């Protein structure tokens, strides 16, 4: 069945501003914010806790099973620092947020990330790992890279995504 509302992934290295964007976007558009972090924790889609990295070891099959019905209905904003696990047929737009490394360092330090995790995430941002993952997993026309250094950029990005959403709804309106 065709979706009447699109599904959007908002991805990027931890600390780039995914949650910040998704919350504003959900409020302004009425789409549902699916915080994968929260779902992994609440629905126990994991194989335990990694002490060194201070994060859950995600069971991807269980996660996908758990969200499949909801996502297939459309209208979801998926907030997660990985994207290539979600089937291409589920996804209409992939937003990859980017941040300058000095700013990311400050944000992750404020979160008290352990040293190994901090360094790995900074390297990942500099090496554009998530952007590449998104480009490898999805058609390039649906992957958009947006900067997230300031709150003005959050507003501008949300405006752009809202404009995209209006267009998507127009293009996918049921024939009358
Ligand atoms: P993520 O969900 O990607 O881990 P977040 O939305 O929780 O990131 O943001 C991490 C911190 O950085 C939080 O204190 C809000 C701040 N932040 C994120 N994006 C920002 C932006 N574009 N301008 C200013 N602050 C931002």
């Amino acid at each position: 069945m065709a979706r009447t509302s699109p599904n959007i992934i908002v991805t990027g290295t931890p600390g780039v501003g995914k949650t910040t964007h998704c919350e504003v976007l959900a409020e302004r558009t009425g789409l549902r914010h699916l915080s994968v972090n929260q779902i992994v924790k609440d629905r126990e889609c994991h194989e335990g806790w990694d002490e060194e990295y201070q994060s859950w070891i995600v069971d991807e099959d269980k996660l996908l099973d758990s969200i499949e019905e909801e996502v297939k209905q459309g209208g979801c904003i998926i907030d997660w620092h990985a994207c290539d696990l979600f089937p291409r047929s589920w996804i209409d737009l992939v937003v990859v947020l980017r941040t300058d490394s000095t700013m990311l360092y400050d944000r992750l330090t404020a979160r008290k990330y352990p040293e190994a995790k901090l360094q790995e995430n900074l390297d990942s941002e500099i090496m554009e790992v998530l952007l590449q993952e998104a480009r490898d997993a999805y058609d390039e026309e649906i992957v958009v890279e947006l900067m997230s250094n300031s709150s003005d950029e959050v507003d501008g990005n949300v405006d752009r995504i809202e404009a995209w959403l209006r267009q998507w709804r127009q293009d996918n309106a049921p024939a009358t």
Side-chain angles (χ1 to χ4, degrees), residues 13-21 79 107 111 148-151 154:
T13 312
V16 290
K18 297 181 293 296
T19 304
T20 307
H21 279 75
D79 168 359
R107 290 184 194 164
R111 273 188 184 170
S148 170
N149 288 319
S150 65
S151 34
V154 177

Side-chain angles (χ1 to χ4, degrees), residues 1-36:
M1 206 187 67
R3 289 186 280 278
T4 54
S5 252
N7 290 316
I8 302 172
I9 297 178
V10 176
T11 191
T13 312
V16 290
K18 297 181 293 296
T19 304
T20 307
H21 279 75
C22 290
E23 284 174 353
V24 180
L25 201 54
E27 198 175 304
R28 288 199 359 206
T29 61
L31 299 183
R32 292 187 308 284
H33 176 195
L34 288 196
S35 165
V36 171

Side-chain angles (χ1 to χ4, degrees), residues 69-85:
E69 280 312 308
E70 192 170 356
V71 176
K72 279 187 168 167
Q73 286 172 20
C76 293
I77 313 167
I78 301 174
D79 168 359
W80 186 231
H81 59 251
C83 65
D84 61 359
L85 65 160

Side-chain angles (χ1 to χ4, degrees), residues 151-167:
S151 34
D152 281 353
E153 282 175 339
V154 177
D155 287 339
N157 293 340
V158 172
D159 286 347
R160 275 186 65 174
I161 300 168
E162 272 192 296
W164 174 89
L165 178 61
R166 276 193 296 275
Q167 187 64 49

Side-chain angles (χ1 to χ4, degrees), residues 105-166:
Y105 177 88
D106 291 344
R107 290 184 194 164
L108 296 182
T109 307
R111 273 188 184 170
K112 303 199 170 15
Y113 264 28
E115 185 58 32
K117 190 172 171 180
L118 176 73
Q119 201 51 56
E120 187 175 298
N121 282 306
L122 287 174
D123 289 349
S124 163
E125 184 58 16
I126 292 163
M127 306 287 287
E128 308 191 329
V129 171
L130 263 303
L131 182 62
Q132 202 50 53
E133 179 180 314
R135 287 181 173 156
D136 289 345
Y138 300 96
D139 291 341
E140 66 177 303
E141 310 87 78
I142 74 160
V143 177
V144 191
E145 177 186 14
L146 297 175
M147 289 311 296
S148 170
N149 288 319
S150 65
S151 34
D152 281 353
E153 282 175 339
V154 177
D155 287 339
N157 293 340
V158 172
D159 286 347
R160 275 186 65 174
I161 300 168
E162 272 192 296
W164 174 89
L165 178 61
R166 276 193 296 275

